[in-house]
Amino acid sequence: MSIIPNYKGLFGDFGGRFVSETLVPLILELEKTYQSAKLDKAFNNELFYYQKKYIGRSSPLYLADRFTQYLGGARIYFKREDLNHTGAHKINNCIGQILLAKRLGKTRIIAETGAGMHGVATATVAARFGMKCVIYMGNTDVKRQKPNVYRMNLLGAKVVPVTSGKGTLKDAMNEALRDWVNNIENTFYIIGTVAGPHPYPVMVRDFQSIIGYEVREQIIKIEGKLPDILIACIGGGSNAMGLFYPMINDNKVRMVGVEAGGKGIETGKHAASLNGGVPGVIHGNRTYILQNKDGQIKDAHSISAGMDYPGIGPEHSYYYKCKRIDYVSVTNKEAIDAFKKCCYLEGIIPALESAHALAYVNKIANRLSNENIIIVNLSGRGDKDISIIREHS
Ligand SMILES: *Cc1c(COP(=O)(O)O)cnc(C)c1O
C-alpha cells in the first residue's frame, strides 16, 4: 500500500497544497526543515525528552475490565491519552511543531481553534518556549467557550475573535492563513489536526504516531499479539491517524474511524465529512468536506465541539476510498450514553469526542468473543464536557 504522499503532498486524489503564492516558499522551507529534523538525532532526542518529561508519556494501555464484562464480548483496552499534560492528545503535535518553529528561528506562533482545545495546547507550548502566541477563534466560539479563552489568556496568548463569515472554526482557519501570509518572517502556524496544506497532514500524523507505536509495543507485551480492531473518533482525524498509522500495514488489524453523526446524517445536522460530505478544497488541501449545493462550506454540527471540523484530513479520504479503514458515525445521543457508561463502569470521565469511539465499541463488542481484542483511543478527558452532559440529562 502506498502510504507516503507524492512530492506534491497528494494521497491519491487528496491532499496537496492549495495556498496563495506568497506562502509557497514558506511551506517549502517548512517541508525541508521537517525532513532534516526527522533525521537529526538531536531533534529527536529533544522531542523524546519533552514527550517524556513534559507530556508524561508513555500513556498506559488499560484493560477496561468492567466495560468489557458489561458488554460481554471482546476484551476492551483504552489507550489513555486523557492522562497527557493538558488532558488530550493534541499536545503531542504541538510539542513537535514548536520544536520545528524553534529550529526555523521563528518567534511568533499562530493557531486557529474551535472549541479552544487546540488553542490551549498551542498556548501551553508557546508559554513553555517563551514565544508570542496569537489564537484565532470564531466570535461565536469565543462566547461559547469562555473558560478556554481565559485559560489561553492565563498562558499568555492573545485570543482574536473572528467576526467574518459566521464566526466559527472555518472562518478562524481562513484568518490564521491570512495572518501567516502577512507575517511570514517571524511566524509559525501550528495546525491542530492532520489537515492543511502539505506537509502539515504528514507532519501532524508523524507527531501523533507515538500513540500507535506505543500501543503496538504495549499490546504485544500484554497479549502477545496485535489487536483485532482499533477504534478512534474523528474530528479532523489526528488522534485516529496517530493510532492507526503504525499498524496500517498490519493487514489483519481492522481500523474504524468514528465520525460525529450529530442529530443523524439524514437531518443534515452532523459533522460526518466522509459519511455525509463530498470532495472539495478546504484549509489548503483537497479532501471530503461538508458543503451545500452551491459549493459553500457548511458549518459542522456535533454536541462535541472538538468533532465539528467541517473537513477531514486528506489521508483519511484516501483510506476511505481504498477501503483500508472503515468510517462509521454515531449520534449525539449514542455518544452521551457511552460517556455515562464509561464514567460509572470505569471511573473515567472521557472527552465527549472520545465517547463517540466508545459508542461504536458499545455497538460491536458483544458480536465478538473474549478472544478478540478491541483497542479504543481515549483521546482526552471529559471535565470540559460535564456541563453539556448535564444540559442533556
Ligand atoms: C480535538 C479533539 C479531537 C478531534 O480531533 P482529531 O484531530 O480528530 O483527533 C478528539 N478528541 C479530543 C479530546 C480532542 O480535543
Side-chain angles (χ1 to χ4, degrees), residues 107-344:
T107 54
R108 179 176 177 268
I109 300 294
I110 58 167
E112 84 292 327
T113 196
M117 299 310 287
H118 174 55
V120 170
T122 302
T124 299
V125 298
R128 174 59 188 80
F129 287 82
M131 295 198 201
K132 257 194 222 137
C133 182
V134 177
I135 305 289
Y136 290 94
M137 192 168 183
N139 201 24
T140 320
D141 290 325
V142 170
K143 286 185 197 140
R144 281 196 294 217
Q145 308 287 342
K146 288 246 164 69
N148 273 342
V149 174
Y150 185 57
R151 260 182 212 118
M152 290 183 263
N153 289 335
L154 277 177
L155 292 161
K158 183 177 165 205
V159 178
V160 179
V162 176
T163 50
S164 59
K166 283 197 188 138
T168 55
L169 178 59
K170 73 172 158 58
D171 309 302
M173 288 176 340
N174 290 335
E175 210 53 49
L177 279 168
R178 221 164 285 149
D179 177 313
W180 204 24
V181 173
N182 291 322
N183 297 286
I184 42 182
E185 290 86 33
N186 68 348
T187 297
F188 190 99
Y189 180 16
I190 297 189
I191 292 183
T193 190
V194 282
H198 180 64
Y200 279 99
V202 184
M203 218 164 63
V204 178
R205 173 196 78 195
D206 290 351
F207 288 135
Q208 290 294 359
S209 288
I210 182 86
I211 301 172
Y213 285 114
E214 283 179 6
V215 161
R216 201 174 193 289
E217 215 176 289
Q218 288 166 321
I219 197 66
I220 285 177
K221 214 166 182 180
I222 303 169
E223 294 273 2
K225 60 177 182 181
L226 290 175
D228 296 279
I229 309 182
L230 298 173
I231 299 178
C233 68
I234 301 220
S238 71
N239 86 89
M241 198 50 79
L243 175 66
F244 298 163
Y245 185 70
M247 284 168 273
I248 203 87
N249 288 321
D250 296 304
N251 290 327
K252 288 202 178 126
V253 179
R254 192 182 157 214
M255 300 174 179
V256 185
V258 185
E259 296 191 306
K263 297 184 174 165
I265 304 286
E266 68 289 348
T267 65
K269 296 208 174 311
H270 61 80
S273 312
L274 290 175
N275 284 295
V278 289
V281 171
I282 187 173
H283 209 181
N285 71 91
R286 185 169 186 277
T287 189
Y288 275 80
I289 56 180
L290 301 175
Q291 79 183 20
N292 67 18
K293 287 196 189 79
D294 307 325
Q296 292 293 319
I297 292 162
K298 280 201 302 195
D299 281 306
H301 163 83
S302 167
I303 191 168
S304 165
M307 297 289 274
D308 60 9
Y309 185 75
I312 181 168
E315 192 169 0
H316 283 290
S317 293
Y318 174 75
Y319 294 133
Y320 171 71
K321 273 283 184 155
C322 71
K323 298 189 162 62
R324 171 61 185 97
I325 300 176
D326 295 327
Y327 295 89
V328 299
S329 69
V330 304
T331 62
N332 289 340
K333 200 166 165 296
E334 289 167 324
I336 291 175
D337 183 45
F339 179 102
K340 290 181 180 167
K341 275 191 186 131
C342 184
C343 292
Y344 70 72

Side-chain angles (χ1 to χ4, degrees), residues 36-51:
S36 77
K38 255 201 325 197
L39 302 172
D40 179 3
K41 208 158 171 208
F43 180 86
N44 284 302
N45 285 345
E46 198 177 4
L47 179 60
F48 181 72
Y49 173 84
Y50 286 105
Q51 287 171 337

